[in-house]
Each structure stands twice: as structure tokens, then as C-alpha cells.
Amino acid sequence: METFGGRLHRAVTERGPLCVGIDPHPGLLARWGLSDDVDGLDRFARTVVEALGDRVAVVKPQSAFFERFGARGVAILESIIRQLRESGALVLLDVKRGDIGSTVAAYASAYLDPAAPLYVDAVTASPYLGVGSLAPMFELAATHGGGVFVLALTSNPEGAQVQRAHGADGRTVAQTVIDEISQLNAGAQPLGSFGLVVGATIGDTGHDLSRVNGPLLAPGLGAQGATAADLRTVFGSSLPSVLPSYSREVLHAGPDPAALRAAAERVLADCRGVLAD
Ligand SMILES: O=c1ccn([C@@H]2O[C@H](COP(=O)(O)O)[C@@H](O)[C@H]2O)c(=O)[nH]1
């Protein structure tokens, strides 16, 4: 069985280092001339999948925008996840789950068990209850070739208060998360399956990412103000592991599929220019 790290490495080699988010904000639905209801949601999500599913390495549906519509929204999420996987994109579901270990085990079965209706290639997870509490997700991911991206240094300004606080050993909370994920990925080839979320907006924080040996998802590009050039400052020598992530910057170009593809190609070219340095 190929690991998630291996599959991601291959997808990025074939399609380029880019993750595009599906975030059907009410404002975007209106901008696309769609109604703010399940029909609008369905049309929006399917347009993105049809435009980008066969060319972008990773697609990241933001679960919140589907959950907003209850069971019918989640049914659409389930359906587009299947469609995306059939079109060859890796699906990273942005759900930021975290809880005590016994509940995390249920989240793991919900997303990382191939028999689950919402089965995806990888999920985002919150380490706020301790990185160790996420162990059931790491274990199920490892069993089935899945991945987990753990929040480390998020793109929002409020994150710093918690993530950059210092623990008794002098390390920041974020560095503790980084170090624990690095251990999980030790020795993995060509890339570990356990990633971190590190915002492109955060500047040079002095955190050491050099031993992560796993993917570094970088949201915050475009709509939140970061540019591809900022990746250099944030990631330094870890640039080769960065997976840049854009949602609104690309989605604003819709609903014309050709315009969505052109926007994705433009941001990919911007990022390639930096990541190839
Ligand atoms: O630190 C984080 C973690 C996750 N996100 C999510 O990424 C997208 C960003 O959307 P944009 O439109 O590109 O700003 C969104 O789903 C967030 O929930 C993040 O922004 N920062």
C-alpha cells in the first residue's frame, strides 16, 4: 500500500505544488449568481470539481460551508469527495477535528476508514487536546495510506497567543507540535504522511521546521494577504515541502470553468517560481 506521503509526492510531481480549497462562502455564491441554498452549494462545488479535479494535486473542501446546510449539505460534500477522487485529485478535508482519544477514534473512522461515506485522503486536525490525543487518527491513517495535517502556526492573527506561548521546557506550543509530528515522520521516504498547517501570513517566527519530513500546508495566500514571495520568509530551507493553498483567490475567478483553471494556473506559476528557488 502506498503511503499518503508517497501519493502526495507523486501528485505534486505530476500536477504541481498546489492545493485549491472549495469554500462556498455566501458572498461567493452571490458573486457566481447562485442562490444561498443547497442548489447553489451543489452547483458551486460541482463547477469547481469539474474545472479543477483533473489538474490540481490536492483539493481541500472546507467542511463548514457544507455543514451549514445540514444533512443535504453533507450529502453534497460526500458526493463531491467521490467525484474528486475519481478525477485523480487527492482530497484533504478541512474539518480541524480534535478531542479526547476515544472520540478522536470515531473521527478517524468517519474520515480515514475506506469504508466510511466521507472517506478522504487526508484531514486537518487540531492538537489543542494534546498531539497524543490524535494518535487514533495517526494510526488509522497509517493503516490505510491516509494523511493528517495538524495545526501548528495558523494563518489568523489570533493564533499566535496560544501557539507561540512558551511551555516549561522553553519551547513554544507550536514547536512542541512540530517536534511531535517530526518524530512520526522520521525515516519516511519520499515524504512522511503527517503534515503541519503553517500559515503563509506569519512571517519569520524562528520556528524550526527542518526535521518535519512531511508536507507543510500553507493557507493564507491571496484573500488573507500573503503572496507566494512570503513563502520564502516563512519557510526558508523547508520550501521544498510546502503545499501552497488558495481558496477565495481562485474561486473569485468563477463560475467560468476556463477562468477557474486560468486562476489556478496563475497561482501555481507564482508558487513554482518561489518553490523552485
Ligand atoms: O491556519 C489556517 C488553517 C486553515 N485555513 C483554512 O484555509 C482556507 C483559506 O481560505 P482563503 O479563502 O484562501 O483565505 C479556509 O478554508 C480556512 O478555514 C486557514 O485559512 N488558515
Side-chain angles (χ1 to χ4, degrees):
M1 180 203 53
E2 194 178 10
T3 63
F4 175 73
R7 294 192 292 133
L8 178 61
H9 185 265
R10 191 158 46 83
V12 163
T13 304
E14 288 169 7
R15 295 184 171 199
L18 180 63
C19 169
V20 174
I22 305 184
D23 294 48
H25 289 261
L28 276 172
L29 293 174
R31 188 182 165 112
W32 284 31
L34 298 170
S35 47
D36 187 13
D37 56 21
V38 280
D39 291 336
L41 176 77
D42 190 49
R43 176 72 74 85
F44 184 98
R46 277 185 212 289
T47 301
V48 179
V49 172
E50 281 157 24
L52 302 178
D54 64 351
R55 61 195 61 217
V56 171
V58 181
V59 176
K60 182 175 78 65
Q62 171 52 261
S63 185
F65 291 107
F66 295 83
E67 291 175 41
R68 191 162 91 79
F69 295 102
R72 293 174 69 201
V74 174
I76 292 169
L77 176 62
E78 198 181 303
S79 162
I80 62 142
I81 286 170
R82 208 172 311 120
Q83 207 181 336
L84 280 167
R85 300 190 79 243
E86 282 165 10
S87 65
L90 294 178
V91 182
L92 165 58
L93 184 61
D94 200 344
V95 277
K96 299 186 184 70
R97 294 296 193 238
D99 210 309
I100 59 168
S102 51
T103 303
V104 165
Y107 282 134
S109 345
Y111 305 116
L112 298 168
D113 180 336
L118 284 170
Y119 171 61
V120 285
D121 298 287
V123 288
T124 54
S126 166
Y128 194 60
L129 278 78
V131 178
S133 68
L134 299 174
M137 276 196 191
F138 300 143
E139 285 157 17
L140 206 63
T143 303
H144 296 295
V148 182
F149 286 78
V150 179
L151 302 178
L153 290 154
T154 57
S155 65
N156 58 318
E158 303 86 355
Q161 181 196 22
V162 173
Q163 296 150 11
R164 299 191 210 174
H166 288 262
D169 63 4
R171 289 180 300 168
T172 63
V173 171
Q175 190 65 53
T176 307
V177 174
I178 293 165
D179 294 346
E180 291 200 39
I181 296 303
S182 305
Q183 281 177 24
L184 292 178
N185 287 328
Q189 294 273 7
L191 185 70
S193 298
F194 304 108
L196 291 167
V197 179
V198 177
T201 48
I202 64 173
D204 179 3
T205 62
H207 284 83
D208 179 9
L209 295 164
S210 64
R211 282 180 290 275
V212 176
N213 190 31
L216 302 169
L217 182 76
L221 292 155
Q224 293 176 52
T227 64
D230 292 324
L231 296 172
R232 234 182 248 118
T233 315
V234 176
F235 294 99
S237 61
S238 299
L239 274 178
S241 305
V242 172
L243 179 61
S245 184
Y246 292 83
S247 300
R248 284 167 288 179
E249 176 74 13
V250 170
L251 301 172
H252 273 153
D256 175 20
L260 281 167
R261 287 194 279 271
E265 275 160 27
R266 172 177 55 78
V267 295
L268 176 59
D270 289 349
C271 292
R272 276 193 200 279
V274 173
L275 300 183
D277 280 0

